[in-house]
């Protein structure tokens, strides 16, 4: 939750300044890549480390996260969620071991060198260990999605597409797998459903509505701007942290995505090109003449199903006061 503001800032910059955004600007669009590849993962690793071992854990977690960033070519949000807390846990145990064994006057020396050694070792491990493993898993996921598309098992593709999306692999799946296949299909038939498998804004919108109504009270005020950025701006990444905070909600976006794809299939919907970014405006802009009904219905159905499932998983607001984000006061006192 503490990093939601950074995600919103990135989403606004992306929606405004990328070549297909509202105010294309090549200079300002240069912020997008470094923010998603470096800034946001480091913030996640820093925050995770701080939750485990205060400020020392935060620093070591950030250093360790840099290793998984360098060790992979995809955004390392999952890697940061692993390395930040793990490195902080290691330095916490080291501190417990050295605290009673360090002579008076050597505390600062031992603390600084232990943090540096643990952070550096974790960064190296991230480069050669966690980073490549996560990247390998993402490549295998893309291959499976390609297989499902080839076997005409399109609704089942959501089982892989939606989890991959929340790990910020949406562009890789859309432009690397589905986009080229959709172009070939559209050249033959004039439209393609493949452009709609990953880009449907309905599942994310339904999830955010459920969060706004039934999520933890501390998160509810952040959802209206997130909905605007997601649905109108087409920046789906804005809802990914909401899923990562409560991983069971991946079932909601899977159900929403699958129901939307099934609706597209039944109504014969398709687009003439990839909607980029995936906003409702971009969807309508690339909808072929006479195809409005199926496209809009698929988005509505996906939104409704995702909302219902997410609301149920959130308990329809029961106990929302108890699900507030843990206080950072203990970490602050420890620091």
């Amino acid at each position: 939750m503490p990093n939601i503001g950074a995600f919103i800032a990135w989403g606004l910059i992306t929606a405004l300044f990328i070549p297909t955004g509202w105010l294309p600007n090549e200079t300002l669009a240069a912020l997008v890549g470094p923010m998603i590849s470096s800034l946001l993962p480091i913030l996640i690793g820093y925050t995770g480390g701080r939750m485990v071992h205060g400020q020392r854990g935060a620093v070591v977690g950030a250093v360790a996260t840099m290793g998984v960033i360098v060790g992979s070519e995809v955004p390392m949000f999952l890697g940061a969620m692993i390395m930040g807390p793990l490195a902080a846990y290691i330095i916490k145990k080291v501190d417990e071991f050295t605290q009673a064994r360090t002579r008076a006057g050597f505390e600062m020396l031992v603390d600084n060198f232990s943090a540096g050694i643990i952070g550096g070792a974790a960064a190296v491990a991230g480069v050669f260990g966690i980073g490549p493993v996560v990247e390998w898993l993402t490549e295998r996921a893309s291959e499976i999605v390609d297989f499902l598309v080839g076997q005409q098992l399109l609704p089942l593709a959501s089982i892989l597409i939606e989890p991959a999306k929340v790990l910020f692999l949406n562009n890789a799946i859309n432009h690397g797998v589905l986009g080229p296949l959709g172009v070939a299909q559209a050249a033959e038939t004039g439209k393609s459903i493949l452009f709609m498998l990953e880009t449907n804004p309905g599942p994310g919108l339904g999830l955010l509505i459920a969060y706004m109504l039934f999520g933890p009270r501390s998160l509810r005020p952040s959802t209206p701007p997130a909905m605007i950025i997601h649905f109108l701006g087409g920046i789906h990444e804005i809802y990914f942290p909401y899923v990562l905070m409560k991983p069971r909600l991946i079932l909601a976006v899977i159900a929403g995505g699958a129901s939307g794809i099934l609706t597209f299939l039944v109504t014969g919907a398709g687009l003439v090109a990839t909607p980029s970014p995936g906003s409702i405006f971009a969807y309508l802009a690339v909808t072929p003449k006479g195809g409005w009904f199926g496209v809009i219905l698929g988005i509505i159905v996906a939104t409704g199903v995702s909302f219902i499932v997410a609301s149920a998983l959130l308990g329809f607001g029961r106990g929302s006061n108890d699900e507030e984000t843990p206080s950072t006061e203990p970490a602050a006192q420890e620091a």
Side-chain angles (χ1 to χ4, degrees):
M1 179 186 164
N3 298 318
I4 288 294
F7 279 89
I8 291 177
W10 177 82
L12 288 171
I13 291 172
T14 304
L16 289 173
F17 303 125
I18 61 175
T20 56
W22 298 102
L23 299 171
N25 185 297
E26 184 177 353
T27 300
L28 296 178
L31 290 167
V32 174
M35 287 182 73
I36 193 172
S37 63
S38 297
L39 174 63
L40 296 179
I42 289 175
L43 282 175
I44 291 174
Y46 181 94
T47 304
R50 191 171 190 274
M51 293 174 66
V52 172
H53 192 45
Q55 186 62 26
R56 282 173 59 76
V59 172
V60 173
V63 174
T65 301
M66 197 64 210
V68 296
I69 292 173
V70 173
S72 175
E73 296 181 359
V74 299
M76 272 291 104
F77 293 88
L78 179 60
M81 293 172 67
I82 296 172
M83 291 302 296
L86 177 60
Y89 180 77
I90 294 174
I91 191 65
K92 180 180 180 180
K93 291 301 180 182
V94 171
D95 286 348
E96 292 174 355
F97 177 80
T98 60
Q99 188 174 13
R101 296 171 173 80
T102 302
R103 292 181 178 275
F106 288 88
E107 294 90 350
M108 183 175 294
L109 179 65
V110 173
D111 287 349
N112 287 339
F113 270 89
S114 62
I117 292 171
I118 297 300
V124 172
V127 172
F128 296 106
I130 301 298
V133 169
V134 173
E135 186 172 15
W136 181 85
L137 291 174
T138 60
E139 292 175 352
R140 301 293 79 75
S142 295
E143 292 176 359
I144 295 173
V145 170
D146 194 7
F147 169 79
L148 290 176
V149 171
Q151 298 299 314
Q152 300 299 313
L153 301 173
L154 295 185
L156 295 181
S158 292
I159 297 175
L160 293 173
I161 290 176
E162 298 301 334
K165 282 180 65 176
V166 301
L167 296 178
F168 289 80
L169 302 175
N170 48 319
N171 288 327
I173 292 174
N174 187 31
H175 299 293
V177 178
L178 302 177
L181 296 173
V183 169
Q185 189 177 82
E188 298 178 1
T189 64
K191 62 180 180 180
S192 175
I193 192 177
L194 300 182
F195 294 130
M196 312 167 81
L197 302 189
E198 182 274 331
T199 58
N200 188 348
L205 179 62
L207 175 79
L208 292 173
I209 295 174
Y211 254 103
M212 181 179 66
L213 298 178
F214 305 117
R217 296 186 184 279
S218 59
L219 291 178
R220 294 180 188 182
S222 70
T223 53
M227 283 189 282
I228 293 173
I229 293 171
H230 167 69
F231 193 66
L232 302 182
I235 307 304
H236 294 197
E237 288 87 348
I238 199 68
Y239 79 83
F240 298 169
Y242 292 87
V243 179
L244 294 174
M245 281 186 285
K246 295 183 179 296
R248 65 180 180 271
L249 293 178
I250 192 64
L251 298 175
V253 291
I254 289 175
S259 62
I261 294 172
L262 182 60
T263 304
F264 294 145
L265 284 172
V266 172
T267 59
L271 301 179
V272 298
T274 300
S276 179
S279 71
I280 184 61
F281 299 120
Y283 250 71
L284 297 179
V286 294
T287 299
K289 185 178 180 180
W292 307 101
F293 174 76
V295 170
I296 295 175
L297 182 62
I299 295 175
I300 293 175
V301 170
T303 301
V305 171
S306 178
F307 167 73
I308 293 172
V309 176
S311 298
L313 292 173
L314 289 170
F316 295 101
R318 293 192 297 272
S320 59
N321 288 330
D322 298 328
E323 295 181 6
E324 300 284 352
T325 301
S327 172
T328 58
E329 291 181 2
Q333 293 173 1
E334 186 175 356

